[in-house]
Amino acid sequence: MIDINNISRKQADFLANAYNKNQLAHSYLFVDNDETRALNTAYWLACLFNCTGENKPDGTCINCQQILSGNHPDVLLVKPEGRQTLGIDQIRPLKEELAKSPVESTRRFFLIKDAQKLTLPAANALLNLLEEPVAPVVSILITNNVDQILPTIRSRTQIIKFNENEKRDDRQSVLIENGFSVEELEELDDTKKVDQEIKYFYQELLERNDLALVSAHKLVDLANTTVLQNYVLLMLKLYAQKDLESSMNQRAGARMLEYLIEIDKMKFSNVNFRSLLDYLALKWRR
Ligand SMILES: [Zn+2]
């Protein structure tokens, strides 16, 4: 039994809105790390369309029950059934079936799970169905990997990304919490080199190592945009914060944080980045 409570609320609202305005597309590509949720959302839409209850979709009327148990003649599902691929032998009969008029409803639903497993011939067989179905059909392809879907398929479907703005990793969440915008996050996509240099710089500061000034200048070269510079200062603060909360370097952390806050103020008075890091390195050694 399919669980239409485990759906993406956001995408369901979007689809319901399209349905209410009579603007449902012929074909969708649902992209979700959680394929089960995406499939449930597809079933939810089929229920919304066919439900005879008051609060559509109720999941309890005869139509909903038929759909959710996989027995509704107008809601068809294709999935790999344990095989590595979805072959043309699985697509062709359904294509013929879908050329017929709906049995009970005004529209049929054709769901394909693991669409990334479609073979090239199977995908090609689907193309005209996706573009202009003979009979009223809503095709919903479901995948967890949009990169593995043929461009010809992608261009013929309305792509709905379930994970967008959803699951940020810890690093992204930290950056957002500290005032970076989503656009800025893109600029901070690959900070491996900078991250390493920040780490060296911080360690060298704590060790009162002469190399700290050298690292500071390397950082100045690497962090050549305002976003990157803000990122460097934030990372230093997070290191200091961590030390402050540790039992080992508490005092160093506290002192470092104090300096970094001072540097923030200097930054607001338009002191350039190089001078800020120099100031930090020199002041720390004293
Ligand atoms: Zn119902």
Side-chain angles (χ1 to χ4, degrees):
M1 197 79 173
I2 294 123
D3 180 9
I4 52 165
N5 291 313
N6 172 23
I7 58 169
S8 162
R9 217 39 272 174
K10 187 177 149 209
Q11 307 305 346
D13 286 346
F14 170 80
L15 292 163
N17 190 35
Y19 166 76
N20 289 330
K21 290 182 180 163
N22 209 9
Q23 286 173 347
L24 276 185
H26 291 311
S27 36
Y28 290 99
L29 178 60
F30 285 5
V31 183
D32 195 351
N33 295 335
D34 181 352
E35 271 200 280
T36 304
R37 179 180 67 168
L39 183 64
N40 288 344
T41 307
Y43 273 107
W44 179 91
L45 180 65
C47 285
L48 175 69
F49 211 94
N50 288 284
C51 185
T52 54
E54 290 271 303
N55 294 318
K56 297 174 203 291
D58 56 10
T60 52
C61 71
I62 290 180
N63 281 349
C64 286
Q65 288 288 316
Q66 272 192 328
I67 292 170
L68 297 177
S69 58
N71 294 314
H72 196 285
D74 293 325
V75 181
L76 310 169
L77 170 70
V78 173
K79 56 182 180 178
E81 312 280 5
R83 297 201 297 183
Q84 285 309 305
T85 56
L86 271 167
I88 191 160
D89 55 313
Q90 283 164 284
I91 298 297
R92 204 177 268 141
L94 275 159
K95 242 191 104 180
E96 284 162 20
E97 175 69 18
L98 289 167
K100 300 173 198 161
S101 294
V103 181
E104 289 181 3
S105 175
T106 52
R107 207 178 299 208
R108 308 187 89 180
F109 282 81
F110 178 32
L111 318 181
I112 303 181
K113 189 169 178 270
D114 292 321
Q116 71 277 7
K117 293 188 175 171
L118 283 166
T119 62
L120 188 59
N124 283 334
L126 269 178
L127 290 183
N128 52 1
L129 174 71
L130 296 179
E131 202 157 47
E132 37 187 324
V134 191
V137 176
V138 176
S139 303
I140 303 178
L141 281 65
I142 294 149
T143 185
N144 56 20
N145 189 346
V146 72
D147 296 331
Q148 285 178 21
I149 303 291
L150 286 179
T152 45
I153 297 260
R154 273 190 259 167
S155 65
R156 283 168 175 81
T157 52
Q158 183 173 339
I159 301 178
I160 301 193
K161 293 180 179 167
F162 282 57
N163 306 115
E164 204 138 84
N165 302 329
E166 191 188 55
K167 284 180 193 157
R168 298 188 189 285
D169 57 31
D170 286 350
R171 176 178 177 276
Q172 286 176 321
S173 310
V174 167
L175 293 176
I176 294 271
E177 278 166 24
N178 283 283
F180 286 87
S181 69
V182 175
E183 293 77 43
E184 289 173 338
L185 285 194
E186 278 171 32
E187 194 180 318
L188 299 172
D189 190 39
D190 180 16
T191 52
K192 230 178 280 168
K193 275 189 189 165
V194 183
D195 286 337
Q196 185 146 56
E197 212 51 54
I198 297 169
K199 201 168 145 195
Y200 290 154
F201 180 53
Y202 187 83
Q203 280 170 356
E204 288 156 1
L205 283 177
L206 287 196
E207 294 164 4
R208 293 188 156 73
N209 187 326
D210 287 341
L211 286 173
L213 257 184
V214 179
S215 295
H217 295 159
K218 277 193 198 158
L219 266 179
V220 172
D221 288 340
L222 286 171
N224 50 9
T225 66
T226 311
V227 175
L228 273 167
Q229 291 167 1
N230 290 339
Y231 174 77
V232 170
L233 296 178
L234 172 64
M235 287 299 127
L236 291 172
K237 257 185 244 164
L238 293 178
Y239 276 126
Q241 190 73 47
K242 208 170 158 192
D243 275 339
L244 180 64
E245 286 159 12
S246 76
S247 48
M248 293 267 298
N249 288 330
Q250 223 168 12
R251 284 181 59 190
R255 191 169 152 223
M256 185 71 81
L257 261 184
E258 196 181 302
Y259 290 173
L260 286 164
I261 289 165
E262 195 179 330
I263 277 185
D264 267 346
K265 286 182 193 151
M266 290 163 70
K267 190 172 65 135
F268 283 121
S269 348
N270 287 324
V271 176
N272 72 44
F273 188 59
R274 185 185 167 113
S275 305
L276 293 178
L277 294 193
D278 279 353
Y279 178 82
L280 183 61
L282 295 171
K283 180 152 187 172
W284 184 264
R285 287 190 64 185
R286 266 194 269 126

